[in-house]
């Protein structure tokens, strides 16, 4: 499925159960003030010009190709090198970025006109214009390996009126369109680079951004350098940003404390208190728009995008064929205990894809199944399942993810399940689950401002990231209706109905919602992080 894997350190289950009462007393949460979805480095110091900022990432990004990319850490790098038609601000409002203004939509909602900034150049010195936007969007729509097809499914045709104007002709009104263009679907790629690199564009990406791609060493680092062609280059302070891949959270934190890195992505909850106590460091926090969960392979036999079918013998299980078994698995989970014991109470239990802070949320969207292992066993008996039911789950091969898996393993045992963990390297796990070679997969999604971006890709029958093989005509219809409506209240009601049906079918069992924690050395100023969890360095620099 997707982009964000569990980051925080966990305790081993046997210990976790034993210390539950003590942990509950010690748990503390860090609140993001109401209406403040973003954080910026504190202090009034001015950033000076020059220097290399070293940033620790928790995982290896996939290919840096906006058309095919799927990982959260990849999005983190894109914020430096690939701007979009639209962006979000600190309040999560959508604002123009490469577009000159917000789009104009026709009365019937089927024609969207986008005016572009003028005089903008790609990192290779060629012009960013209407033809370039059309080239990028057409590639997103047609490339066989595109992960953006669902994002742009409503687009029938893209035309260019003049170098500064692009028109999107839609098959039907599509409310989430501008939000989609504020993410990877809205990134504009250099046509010259696309022509020369073809499907290998991600190895040498060329876009518009404060920095441009310089080099990459797999499993080690990605370097980007200040782009003199950038339209706002005069206000970019840093010479270079080096993203270092450090999978172990303890090692990342030690590197921040030693000064070997100046920014730490994904601070583990177990390190938050120590970071806050260090007078040389700052903690940036924001509430996540996404979720963490367990994807269940219901019918992905031949790969993403292929019709659902019956799983082969080696993967076959009543977990795939009987929703009562999936409901029993969910009843076995104690989300509060996972959060309090495993994450020290710093995250939030989650039972659906929509943040409770979203204007599209509703009571129906926040309904949650309570922990009841006795009911789980009764449901398995009703389904005629012999217990314990043996089932496997892919988890990332990091200590944090493995310990989370162990906690789930211990909980579902009480409900009648024998869960086998399959630690797998993150990028390999995406390929394996895309191919349908799995039973369950612990994975998350970093979230979007429009909840459609948290839902349709993953549970609509033709979703470009639907790797669970789930297909339900009721869900498809409700998603289609929500996309066609412009009224937020009507959309919220429809999203609530979608979540109600997902609770019955459980192609994804939602677990918890992260809080974005970023550690920053106080030698650095101007780092920004919003609710999308992405670090922004366009105006960052070392304190003068």
């Amino acid at each position: 499925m997707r982009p964000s894997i569990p980051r925080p350190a966990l305790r081993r289950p046997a210990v976790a159960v034993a210390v539950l009462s003590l942990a509950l007393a010690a748990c503390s949460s860090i609140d993001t003030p109401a209406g403040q979805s973003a954080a910026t480095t504190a202090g009034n110091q001015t950033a000076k010009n020059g220097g290399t900022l070293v940033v620790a990432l928790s995982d290896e990004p996939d290919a840096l190709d906006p058309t095919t990319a799927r990982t959260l850490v990849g999005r983190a790098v894109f914020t430096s090198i690939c701007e979009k038609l639209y962006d979000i601000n600190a309040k999560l409002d959508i604002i123009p970025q490469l577009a000159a203004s917000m789009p104009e939509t026709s009365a019937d909602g089927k024609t969207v006109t986008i005016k572009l900034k003028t005089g903008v150049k790609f990192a290779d010195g060629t012009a960013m214009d209407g033809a370039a936007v059309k080239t990028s969007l057409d590639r997103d729509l047609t490339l066989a390996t595109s992960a953006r097809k669902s994002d742009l499914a409503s687009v029938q045709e893209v035309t260019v009126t003049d170098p500064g104007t692009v028109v999107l002709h839609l098959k039907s009104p599509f409310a989430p369109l501008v939000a989609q263009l504020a993410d990877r679907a809205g990134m504009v790629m250099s046509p010259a680079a696309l022509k020369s690199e073809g499907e290998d564009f991600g190895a040498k990406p060329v876009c518009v951004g404060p920095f441009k791609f310089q080099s990459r060493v797999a499993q080690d680092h990605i370097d980007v350098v200040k782009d003199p062609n950038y339209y706002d280059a005069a206000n970019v302070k840093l010479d270079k940003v080096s993203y270092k891949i450090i999978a172990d959270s303890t090692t990342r934190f030690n590197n921040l404390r030693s000064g070997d890195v100046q920014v730490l992505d994904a601070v583990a909850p177990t390190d938050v208190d120590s970071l806050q106590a260090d007078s040389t460091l700052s903690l940036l926090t924001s509430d996540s728009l996404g979720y963490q969960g367990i994807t269940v392979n219901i019918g992905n036999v031949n790969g993403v995008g292929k019709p659902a079918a019956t799983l082969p013998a080696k993967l076959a299980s009543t977990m795939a064929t009987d929703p009562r078994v999936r409901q029993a698995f969910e009843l076995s989970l104690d989300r509060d205990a996972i959060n309090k014991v495993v994450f020290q109470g710093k995250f939030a239990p989650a039972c659906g894809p929509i943040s409770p802070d979203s204007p599209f949320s509703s009571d129906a969207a926040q309904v949650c199944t309570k922990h009841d292992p006795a009911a789980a066993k009764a449901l398995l008996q009703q389904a005629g399942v012999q217990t314990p039911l043996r089932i496997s789950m892919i988890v990332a091969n990091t200590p944090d993810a493995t310990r989370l898996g162990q906690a789930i393993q211990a909980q579902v045992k009480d409900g009648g399940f024998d869960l086998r963990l399959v630690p797998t390297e993150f990028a390999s796990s995406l390929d394996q689950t895309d191919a349908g070679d799995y039973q369950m997969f612990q994975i998350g999604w970093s979230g979007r401002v429009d909840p459609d971006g948290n839902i349709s890709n993953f549970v609509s029958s033709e979703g470009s990231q639907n790797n669970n093989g789930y297909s339900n005509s009721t869900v498809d219809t409700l998603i289609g209706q929500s996309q066609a409506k412009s009224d937020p209240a009507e959309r919220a009601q429809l999203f609530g109905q979608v979540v109600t049906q997902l609770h019955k079918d459980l192609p994804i069992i939602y677990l918890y919602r992260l809080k974005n924690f970023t550690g920053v050395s106080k030698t650095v100023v101007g780092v920004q992080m919003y609710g999308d969890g992405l670090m922004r360095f366009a105006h960052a620099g070392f304190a003068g």
Side-chain angles (χ1 to χ4, degrees):
M1 194 167 166
R2 53 210 156 242
S4 85
I5 64 175
R7 299 156 156 176
L10 312 175
R11 302 181 187 189
R12 292 184 182 281
V15 177
V17 172
V19 301
L20 176 59
S21 59
L22 294 175
L24 290 175
C27 290
S28 62
S29 62
I30 296 178
D31 295 329
T32 301
Q36 181 181 324
S37 302
T40 305
T41 44
N44 298 318
Q45 294 172 284
T46 303
K48 63 184 179 183
N49 288 316
T52 297
L53 184 71
V54 184
V55 180
L57 295 180
S58 56
D59 300 294
E60 169 86 3
D62 52 356
L64 296 174
D65 183 331
T67 302
T68 62
R70 296 169 53 184
T71 62
L72 172 61
V73 283
R75 291 173 72 213
V77 178
F78 279 137
T79 59
S80 289
I81 62 173
C82 284
E83 290 196 345
K84 304 152 289 186
L85 291 170
Y86 300 96
D87 197 8
I88 60 171
N89 64 16
K91 297 180 179 179
L92 301 182
D93 298 324
I94 297 176
I95 59 173
Q97 191 171 52
L98 293 177
S101 58
M102 295 303 290
E104 298 175 3
T105 303
S106 63
D108 66 0
K110 296 176 64 175
T111 303
V112 179
T113 301
I114 299 173
K115 297 285 187 182
L116 303 174
K117 286 181 177 176
T118 58
V120 176
K121 292 183 178 180
F122 291 106
D124 60 9
T126 59
M128 194 292 297
D129 56 15
V133 174
K134 174 177 169 56
T135 298
S136 295
L137 292 175
D138 284 349
R139 183 174 187 263
D140 288 342
L141 287 165
T142 60
L143 190 70
T145 54
S146 173
R148 307 282 86 79
K149 289 180 181 177
S150 293
D151 300 345
L152 301 170
S154 64
V155 178
Q156 178 73 49
E157 183 183 16
V158 181
T159 59
V160 179
T161 304
D162 57 57
T165 309
V166 179
V167 181
L168 278 58
H169 305 273
L170 308 187
K171 302 168 189 171
S172 57
F174 189 69
L177 179 64
V178 183
Q180 298 290 12
L181 297 176
D183 209 275
R184 287 174 292 216
M187 293 179 183
V188 187
M189 298 166 273
S190 162
L194 287 172
K195 184 176 181 180
S196 63
E197 303 300 328
E199 293 192 16
D200 293 329
F201 177 85
K204 297 179 182 178
V206 179
C207 305
V208 176
F211 302 92
K212 62 180 180 180
F213 177 82
Q214 183 185 55
S215 63
R216 177 173 188 167
V217 175
Q219 299 294 330
D220 190 79
H221 71 271
I222 296 171
D223 288 345
V224 301
V225 296
K226 181 176 178 178
D227 181 9
N229 287 311
Y230 183 53
Y231 58 87
D232 193 28
N235 290 315
V236 178
K237 306 297 184 183
L238 295 166
D239 291 331
K240 180 176 179 177
V241 180
S242 182
Y243 296 93
K244 292 185 69 67
I245 292 87
I246 306 175
D248 183 78
S249 59
T250 301
T251 304
R252 287 199 305 277
F253 186 46
N254 288 338
N255 272 260
L256 179 66
R257 288 201 287 195
S258 69
D260 290 339
V261 306
Q262 292 84 46
V263 178
L264 168 55
D265 176 40
V267 178
T270 48
D271 292 329
V272 166
D273 292 342
S274 297
L275 193 153
Q276 289 184 301
D278 191 323
S279 62
T280 68
L281 303 175
S282 297
L283 179 70
L284 307 185
T285 69
S286 66
D287 294 325
S288 172
L289 299 170
Y291 60 83
Q292 292 285 328
I294 299 171
T295 297
V296 183
N297 188 359
I298 292 173
N300 178 7
V301 175
N302 299 307
V304 174
K306 305 292 177 56
T310 302
L311 298 180
K314 70 171 186 174
L315 300 174
S317 167
T318 49
M319 180 67 80
T321 57
D322 192 335
R324 291 175 297 179
V325 178
R326 298 191 290 276
Q327 291 164 9
F329 192 93
E330 185 182 37
L331 284 164
S332 304
L333 295 169
D334 187 341
R335 294 175 172 90
D336 287 328
I338 289 176
N339 180 46
K340 291 172 181 174
V341 176
V342 178
F343 302 133
Q344 300 194 346
K346 290 184 167 58
F347 293 159
C351 300
I354 303 175
S355 166
D357 295 329
S358 169
F360 297 100
S361 182
S362 64
D363 291 344
Q366 302 305 325
V367 167
C368 197
T369 298
K370 293 184 178 179
H371 174 227
D372 192 342
K377 285 185 175 178
L379 202 52
L380 289 179
Q381 185 176 22
Q382 183 186 100
V385 174
Q386 184 174 356
T387 58
L389 177 63
R390 189 171 174 79
I391 193 80
S392 65
M393 180 171 75
I394 292 176
V395 297
N397 64 344
T398 64
D400 297 347
T402 300
R403 288 192 289 269
L404 171 62
Q406 290 170 338
I408 295 171
Q409 185 182 51
Q411 288 189 347
V412 301
K413 184 178 180 181
D414 293 339
F417 294 87
D418 178 9
L419 179 65
R420 181 173 65 91
L421 303 180
V422 186
T424 305
E425 189 271 326
F426 183 47
S428 298
S429 71
L430 295 177
D431 293 338
Q432 185 173 342
T433 53
D434 275 359
D437 187 15
Y438 75 107
Q439 290 185 308
M440 296 197 298
F441 181 26
Q442 198 292 299
I443 189 69
W445 177 243
S446 53
R448 300 294 184 269
V449 290
D450 190 312
D452 182 81
N454 294 358
I455 298 172
S456 61
N457 274 353
F458 309 111
V459 298
S460 63
S461 297
E462 297 184 355
S464 60
Q465 297 189 57
N466 177 349
N467 61 0
N468 47 47
Y470 175 66
S471 180
N472 183 307
S473 60
T474 298
V475 169
D476 290 344
T477 298
L478 290 168
I479 289 175
Q481 291 173 346
S482 72
Q483 292 171 339
K485 300 286 186 182
S486 58
D487 180 70
E490 289 185 272
R491 296 190 69 207
Q493 184 181 34
L494 290 162
F495 284 135
Q497 293 178 49
V498 171
V499 173
T500 298
Q501 186 62 47
L502 293 180
H503 275 302
K504 295 177 182 176
D505 298 339
L506 291 175
I508 299 172
I509 300 171
Y510 303 94
L511 291 176
Y512 62 94
R513 191 160 283 110
L514 293 168
K515 184 177 283 287
N516 302 310
F517 294 131
T518 297
V520 183
S521 165
K522 288 187 177 177
T523 62
V524 178
V525 298
V527 177
Q528 294 177 306
M529 186 182 68
Y530 301 159
D532 57 7
L534 302 179
M535 302 167 291
R536 291 162 167 83
F537 304 123
H539 301 121
F542 289 94

